[in-house]
Each structure stands twice: as C-alpha cells, then as structure tokens.
C-alpha cells in the first residue's frame, strides 16, 4: 500500500502569471469579439500553418462550421485554379515569416467563388518566438470584376485606336505627345518618344490655299488655348517632303476638375478622296463643257424619268431657266398637238427601259415651234437596273422642210418631165399610125425604138414619184376585186408588144384567181419583174410566168434564165437604191429602186416578195397576195 | 368616118399637146374644137355643145377642177362628159371629186386616149337612151 509519507511542495508566487493569463484570455476574448464584429474575414494559424481560429465574418462568408475549417479544412473553399499559387505563397510565407498578400477565389455560402484579397502577417510571442500568422480577407469580387472590365475595355479601346485608319494622338498642355496610334506614326513619318517629344516637329501645315500656317493657327494649339473643338482641312508637308491633304479634328482633354490637361487630335488623310473629288470635278466640268458646247439639246433624267439636267442649248433654245422648266415641266415647251404622244412615249420608255424616239415640235424662245428629233437611252448598272436617262433633242426643222421641199420638187419635176414626154409620145404614136402601112422598115423601126425609150423614160419618172410617195407615206392603194390571171395576160401582151424578141410563157394552176388589191400597182410589180427578167437575160429569150393558189395566198412567179444573183445580193436586192454591181451588170441602167417599190407595194398588200436565184443560171422572182381579203 | 358625128372640145394650155390631141382625134375622124385657155369657157362650150370635153387639170391662170365644177353646175352643159388629164400624182381623185367623169393620166398611150373618149361618148349615149326609154 502506497501511502504518502510526506508531502513536499514549493510555493511560488504565480499571481503575476495568473494575472497575465487572465489578461491574455481577456485580450484574446476581446480580440475575438473585435474580430467577430469586423466586416472582414479573419483567421489565425499556428506556426505549424494549421489554422485554429476563424472569426464570425469567415463563418458568415463561407457558411461553414468552424470545425470544418479548422486545421487545413479551409483549403476546401479555395478555387481549384487558385489553390496551388495560394498554398505556395502561404507556405513560403510561413517559412520566411514574411507578410503576404494575394488575391484568390474563395467559395461563398452560396457556392459562388468570389474574389477575395487576403493578407497574412506573421505573429510573434513576447519573447520573439514565431507563433504563426494572422490573416484577413476581403470580398473584392465586384471591384475586381470592374477593374478587369476596365482593363479589358482599355485594351479594347487601345486596339480600336491602334487599328483606326485615322491618326490619333494626345498631348499634354505643353504639347508633348502622350499617346499615339500606328496611323499617327505613318502620318508623321517618325516614331516619337512619348512624354518628351513635341507634336509640332513632324510636319509643316498649309491651309487649302497653300498659305503656310503658324503653330498657333493649328487646331491643336487652338483647342489647348481656347478649350474648344476645332475641325480644319489643311495640307501637311512631312519631313520627307510628301504633301498630304488631311482633315484634322482637335478637342481639349479635361481632368475631373474641368481643367485642360491636354488635347486629343484625330487626323484623317483625305488625299485620295481629294484627288478623286478633283478628278470627278474635272470630269464633271469636262462633261458640262462638252455638253454645253454641243448645239443639240441634252438632258438627263433619273430612273423614274424625272428630268434633272439640261445643257446650255436647252436654256438658249427655250429661253427658260432650270427652275422654270422644273416648276412647269418640260412638256410646256412641246407643241400642244405633240404633247400627248410625247408623254405617252416617255412613260412607255421609262416603264419598259426601251429607247425613247420621237419627232415633235419644241417652242423656241421667240415663240416659233420647230421640229426636233428626241432620243433617250437608259444608262444601266451592271445589274441591268436603270440608273439614269440621257436624252438629246436635235433640231430637224430645216431637214424636215428640205424633205418637204424635196418631195414637192420631185413631184413637180416629174410633172414637168411628164409634159414633154406626153408630147413626144403622142407625136411618135401619131407618126406610127401614119406610117403603119408604110414599106419603110427603117422609119417604122426607128419610131418603135423611140416609143420604147419613151416608155422607159416614163417608167423612170413614175419610179421617182413612187419613191417620194413611199417616203412621205403617201403611196395610196385603190383596192378592187379583179381577176389576177386576166391582169397578168394584159401585162404579158403589153411587154410582148414592147419587147417582141422575148418569149413570155404564162401558165396558171388555177383558172380564176380573184384578189382584192390595187390592180395598177400589182401590174406595176409584174412589169417590174418582167422588165428585170428581160434586162438581166441578154442571152436567153424565154421567160416563164406562173400563178397558183396555195394556203390562201395567190402566188405569182417570174422565172428567167439570165445571169442570176449571188446569195449576198439576194438579201439586199429589195433595198432602196441597191443595184447588183458586177462586170456583166454594168451595162444595165436604172435607179435601183424598182424592186424597192415593188416590195413596198406587196408589203402594203400584206403579201410577201422574194427571189431564188443561182448565179449564171437565172432567177425566180415571186410575190404572193392574200386571196380571202 | 364613123366618128364624124361626134364633136370633141379639147382644152390644154400646152400648144404642142393641144395640137397633138387634135391630130390624134382627127385621125380617128372626130370633129375637134380646141381652146388654149379657160377664158369664157362656158359661153364657148354652150355655143359648141360638144359630145365630150377633154381638159387638162392645170391650165395657166386657172384650175381645171374649178372650171369642171362650174361646167357641172351649168344646166346646159352639165350632161356633157368631161375627161380630165393631168401629169400630177393623185390628180385622178381630185378630178373625179370635182365632177370629172373620166380621167387620163399623162403621159398616155394614143389608144388609151381614144378608148377613153369613145367610152365617154358611149356613157352619154347610154344615158340618152335611158332617158328616151323613160320618155317613151
């Protein structure tokens, strides 16, 4: 049995110690109370890095129990991406016993990671022993996001400014360059040192009239001096001598107390634009000069047909101003009788994009109406869309008058020619009837020849007259029902009488062919075919005429065995004044209008005319007429 | 000759043509009176009272169409057939519109002239016959 035999003890005065302990407890309690009320998160860790204290702020923020956080439990709340850098800093601070600051993401009660700013300070005991760290954290998520955005924005603006095609730079109140973009260096032709070099040393400035500008006249100086924004176009001459047209915009920069701290300048190089402008101005001037120097009236209209430009001739001719024409419309100068047709055709052209073409009368400044030929063409984009109309009006008054005079002249001339022809022809025929029974063959032959020549002369005169009638649209048809074969028979007899040396054989597939046509004109076409057949058949004396009905058309053909016509000429032979040229044809006289007239006559009867021919073998001329009209 | 009983008045201001026409008609036996102008034409026609009037459309100083119109308004003369001649294009319509009974374009074949004249005479005789038939 172990029984204490004696007690030994030492009595030490621990009052001070106790007091100290109490004091310490009290101060720790006080600290914890303070820490709990602080709006920040506070933790404490021992020298072993393990945390043993978290204030209420921490608990509130993380929403976790102290027990969960103690030791290394708090590590669970650190964002995985930030854990390594955080622990690295944390642990190294413990080993170096140095204060640390770090920003990292910490999980909040709502599981959202928030950026916090953490600071750790080493703690030492009274005797200087390292006893761990005390740390505090603040939620800086909002300001962190804002500052990140600001940084991002700044980078974006910087990029924007850099990539701008205009030169952008700022300077302080002294004119020292503070910021500039790439375009600015291109404009300056140098790379200035910021905060040091002045903006003024890069180039000389001239106004648009070529006057050298002083420094104080530059928009940047003015913006700095007067606190106003300036926009000026001027010419700069770079150090390398190159001149550029620029548009400069300068604006003062203020601090938050509205004090001018510098200026920003934006300079746009407009040299190319200027050049293009100059060129287009030059082109426009050239065009206007050209248009104004032309005696024709020229006008343009938009795609809807609204006229928007007239050359000088229009004003000179009409005596009107642009506004007078615009206000009352161009139609006011058109002759009242021609207005409806002018408008109708113009609307049609604008609606369809077809060319405008019309003859109408315009009132001149002196009141006289004169004939004009107006034409307009649409100017189309590559897409085919009409962009504008360009029109001209040509004074054809004199031409019209001359044509009328010419037609009148031809008409009169043919009349005047016909009178002596009538006389000659009459006397010849009288002589012929006198000497009909005469034995004098020479006399009789001579009279016959003269009579034939007179016939030819008569035909030529008639052709001239017909031509002028066709041209003036006065070729009138006197239609009647008649028997085609009978008419052919009469013509054949007539020709046989004049050209007794030719054998003209007429055969018809139909006995009776009645047509409704101008008997005399159709006869004229046949005479023309026959005289051509004779004219171009110097070596063959047989001519065949046929008539038939096929597909409601009466078809008449005249075939010869003459010299023929080549393919190229066959297409043109019905054109006015077209004559087959060649060695053998040179001896055949004529105006070359006979077939043109024949073609006109047949066309006006709604018929068809044509030719089939082989060079050297002969030709078959044919025409057809509708029979059931 | 067959045509001797017929009297033709020819009016043309061209002397050569006038003589030519006269000759042609006389060759065929017609009795022919000529006149070179339009002066006092109505009294002249009234005095002659021909079977046919052959007249140029354009007479110097006068328009044959006007004359023709007047002749056709004259009760004594209006039944006499009028043949108008012209070298002018489209004269035919103008002449017929002004009362001419026949038209002859210049230049013409002698045959055409003679045929037209005899046609004109025949037309008038037909009318006379019709008239006599009516009276009977």
């Amino acid at each position: 049995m172990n029984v204490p035999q004696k007690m030994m003890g030492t009595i030490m005065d621990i009052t001070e110690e106790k007091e100290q302990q109490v004091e310490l407890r009290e101060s720790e309690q006080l600290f914890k109370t303070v820490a709990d009320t602080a709006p920040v998160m506070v933790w404490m860790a021992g020298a072993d890095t393990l945390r043993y204290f978290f204030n209420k702020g921490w608990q509130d923020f993380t929403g976790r129990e102290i027990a969960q956080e103690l030791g290394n439990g708090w590590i669970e709340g650190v964002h995985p991406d930030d854990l390594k850098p955080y622990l690295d800093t944390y642990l190294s601070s413990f080993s170096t016993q140095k204060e640390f600051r770090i920003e990292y993401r910490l999980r909040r009660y709502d599981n959202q990671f928030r950026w916090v700013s953490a600071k750790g300070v080493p703690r030492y005991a009274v005797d200087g022993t390292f006893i761990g760290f005390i740390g505090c954290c603040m939620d800086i998520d909002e300001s962190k996001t804002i500052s990140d955005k600001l940084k991002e924005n700044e980078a974006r603006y910087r990029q924007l400014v850099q990539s701008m095609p205009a030169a952008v730079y700022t300077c302080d109140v002294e004119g020292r360059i503070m910021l500039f973009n790439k375009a600015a260096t291109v404009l300056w032709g140098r790379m200035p040192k910021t905060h040091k070099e002045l903006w003024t040393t890069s180039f000389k400035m001239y106004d648009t009239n070529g006057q050298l500008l002083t420094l104080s006249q530059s928009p940047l100086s003015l913006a700095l001096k007067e606190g106003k924004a300036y926009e000026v176009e001027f010419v700069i001459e770079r150090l390398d001598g190159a001149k550029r047209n620029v548009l400069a915009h300068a604006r003062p920069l203020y601090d938050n107390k509205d004090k001018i701290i510098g200026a920003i300048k934006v300079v746009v190089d407009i040299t190319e634009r200027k050049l293009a402008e100059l060129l287009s101005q030059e082109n426009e001037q050239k065009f206007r000069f050209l248009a104004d120097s032309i005696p024709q009236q020229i006008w343009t209209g938009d795609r809807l047909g609204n006229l928007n430009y007239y050359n000088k001739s229009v004003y000179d001719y009409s005596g009107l101003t642009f506004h007078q024409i615009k206000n009352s419309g161009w139609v006011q100068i058109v002759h009242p009788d021609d207005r409806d047709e002018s408008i109708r055709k113009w609307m049609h052209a604008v609606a369809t994009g077809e060319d405008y073409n019309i003859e109408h009368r315009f009132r001149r400044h002196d009141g006289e109406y004169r004939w004009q030929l107006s034409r307009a063409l649409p100017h189309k984009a590559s897409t085919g869309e009409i962009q504008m109309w360009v029109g001209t009006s040509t004074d054809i008054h004199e031409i019209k008058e001359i044509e009328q005079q010419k037609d009148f002249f031809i008409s009169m001339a043919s009349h005047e020619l016909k009178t002596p022809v009538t006389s000659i022809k009459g006397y010849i025929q009288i002589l012929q009837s006198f000497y009909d029974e005469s034995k004098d063959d020479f006399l009789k032959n001579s009279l016959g020849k003269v009579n034939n020549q007179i016939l030819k002369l008569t035909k030529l005169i008639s052709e001239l007259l017909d031509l002028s009638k066709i041209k003036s649209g006065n070729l009138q048809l006197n239609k009647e029902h008649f028997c085609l074969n009978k008419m052919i028979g009469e013509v054949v007899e007539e020709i046989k009488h004049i050209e007794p040396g030719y054998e003209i054989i007429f055969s018809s597939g139909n006995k009776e062919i009645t047509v409704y046509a101008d008997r005399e004109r159709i006869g004229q076409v046949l005479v023309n075919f026959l005289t051509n057949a004779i004219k171009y058949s110097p070596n063959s004396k047989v001519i065949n005429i046929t008539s038939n009905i096929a597909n409601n058309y009466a078809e008449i053909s005249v075939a010869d065995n003459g010299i023929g016509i080549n393919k190229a000429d066959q297409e043109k032979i019905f054109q006015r004044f077209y004559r087959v040229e060649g060695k053998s044809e040179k001896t055949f006289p004529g105006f070359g209008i006979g077939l043109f007239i024949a073609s006109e006559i047949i066309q006006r009867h709604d018929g068809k005319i044509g030719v089939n021919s082989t060079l050297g073998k002969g030709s078959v001329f044919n025409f057809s007429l509708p029979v059931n009209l | 000759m067959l045509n001797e009983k017929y009297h033709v008045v020819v009016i043309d201001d061209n002397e050569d043509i006038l003589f030519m026409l006269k000759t042609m008609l006389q060759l065929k036996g017609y009795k022919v009176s000529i006149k070179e102008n339009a002066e006092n034409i109505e009294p002249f026609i009234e005095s002659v009272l021909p079977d046919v009037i052959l007249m140029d459309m354009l007479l110097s100083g006068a328009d044959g169409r006007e004359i023709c119109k007047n002749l056709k308004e004259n009760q004594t003369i209006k039944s006499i057939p009028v043949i108008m001649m012209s070298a002018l294009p489209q004269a035919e319509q103008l002449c017929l519109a002004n009362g001419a009974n026949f038209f002859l374009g210049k230049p013409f074949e002698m045959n055409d002239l003679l045929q037209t004249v005899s046609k004109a005479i025949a037309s008038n005789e037909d009318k006379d016959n019709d008239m006599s038939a009516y009276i009977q």
Side-chain angles (χ1 to χ4, degrees), chain A residues 43-114:
Chain A
W43 52 264
M44 279 195 285
D48 56 0
T49 76
L50 299 176
R51 291 184 183 178
Y52 60 88
F53 171 79
F54 296 92
N55 73 340
K56 191 167 176 293
W58 184 281
Q59 292 168 56
D60 288 348
F61 181 86
T62 58
R64 282 160 65 94
E65 297 294 324
I66 297 287
Q68 289 176 288
E69 299 291 271
L70 287 175
N72 286 326
W74 57 274
I75 289 171
E76 287 171 18
V78 180
H79 193 284
D81 292 351
D82 302 336
L83 187 59
K84 192 176 178 296
Y86 183 80
L87 286 182
D88 286 351
T89 307
Y90 187 72
L91 296 175
S92 72
S93 300
F94 270 81
S95 58
T96 57
Q97 297 175 15
K98 277 192 179 146
E99 187 184 306
F100 70 90
R101 275 170 193 273
I102 191 164
E103 286 176 4
Y104 71 100
R105 279 161 292 178
L106 182 64
R107 185 163 46 219
R108 204 166 63 175
Y109 59 86
D110 56 2
N111 279 331
Q112 191 188 347
F113 281 103
R114 307 274 295 175

Side-chain angles (χ1 to χ4, degrees), chain A residues 185-227:
Chain A
T185 63
V186 175
L187 180 78
W188 292 324
R190 66 181 178 127
M191 182 75 84
K193 284 193 182 108
T194 53
H195 303 273
K196 221 171 187 180
E197 284 185 44
L198 294 176
W199 57 275
T200 53
T201 51
S202 301
F203 42 71
K204 285 181 189 164
M205 290 179 296
Y206 299 88
D207 67 14
T208 45
N209 296 321
Q211 198 71 40
L212 186 68
L213 294 174
T214 63
L215 212 53
S216 59
Q217 287 172 305
S218 96
L220 197 68
S221 304
L222 292 168
L224 281 173
K225 199 157 62 186
E226 294 175 21

Side-chain angles (χ1 to χ4, degrees), chain A residues 411-412 414-416 418-427 429-430 433-434 451 455 458 465 469 474-476 478 520, chain B residues 12 14-21 23-24 27-28 56 58 86-90 92-93 105-111:
Chain A
S411 168
M412 279 317 292
S414 65
H415 174 250
E416 293 305 314
K418 276 176 175 180
T419 305
V421 167
T422 306
S423 189
I424 297 168
K425 195 181 171 97
Y427 283 104
Q429 292 188 353
I430 290 169
S433 68
F434 274 164
N451 194 38
L455 266 178
T458 311
L465 201 60
K469 279 185 196 165
N474 286 331
L475 187 77
Q476 282 173 355
N478 299 315
E520 209 169 304
Chain B
D12 199 307
N14 184 311
E15 208 184 321
D16 291 341
I17 290 178
L18 191 60
F19 185 70
M20 174 197 95
L21 288 166
T23 312
M24 282 178 173
L27 270 173
K28 290 293 163 185
D56 191 32
L58 286 183
S86 180
L88 275 185
Q90 280 158 1
E92 185 169 357
Q93 277 94 332
K106 284 180 179 175
F108 46 79
E109 299 290 320
M110 191 165 135
N111 274 340

Side-chain angles (χ1 to χ4, degrees), chain B residues 125-136:
Chain B
E125 280 188 337
D126 286 351
K127 213 159 56 187
D128 289 348
N129 290 340
D130 287 350
M131 192 64 81
S132 55
Y134 178 76
I135 292 164
Q136 280 165 5

Side-chain angles (χ1 to χ4, degrees), chain A residues 228-248:
Chain A
K228 280 190 213 158
Y230 281 91
E231 192 173 76
V232 190
E233 188 188 322
F234 56 86
V235 180
I236 58 167
E237 186 184 337
R238 287 200 322 220
L239 293 177
D240 62 6
K243 282 191 177 178
R244 312 291 296 174
N245 289 77
V246 296
L247 186 68

Side-chain angles (χ1 to χ4, degrees), chain B residues 7-12 21 25 30 50-59 64 68 71-72 79-86 92 95-96 99-106 108 112-123:
Chain B
H7 195 164
V8 183
V9 164
V10 183
I11 311 158
D12 199 307
L21 288 166
L25 291 166
Y30 290 104
D51 296 284
V52 178
I53 300 165
L54 184 61
M55 180 170 68
D56 191 32
M57 190 181 92
L58 286 183
L59 298 167
C68 181
L71 292 179
K72 287 298 171 187
S79 63
I80 302 170
V82 176
I83 302 167
M84 289 194 82
M85 303 171 289
S86 180
E92 185 169 357
C95 291
L96 297 179
N101 305 85
F102 296 92
F103 179 80
L104 193 60
K106 284 180 179 175
F108 46 79
D112 291 339
L113 168 78
L114 298 173
Q115 271 173 22
T116 310
V117 170
S118 60
K119 216 167 19 175
I121 291 168
S123 75

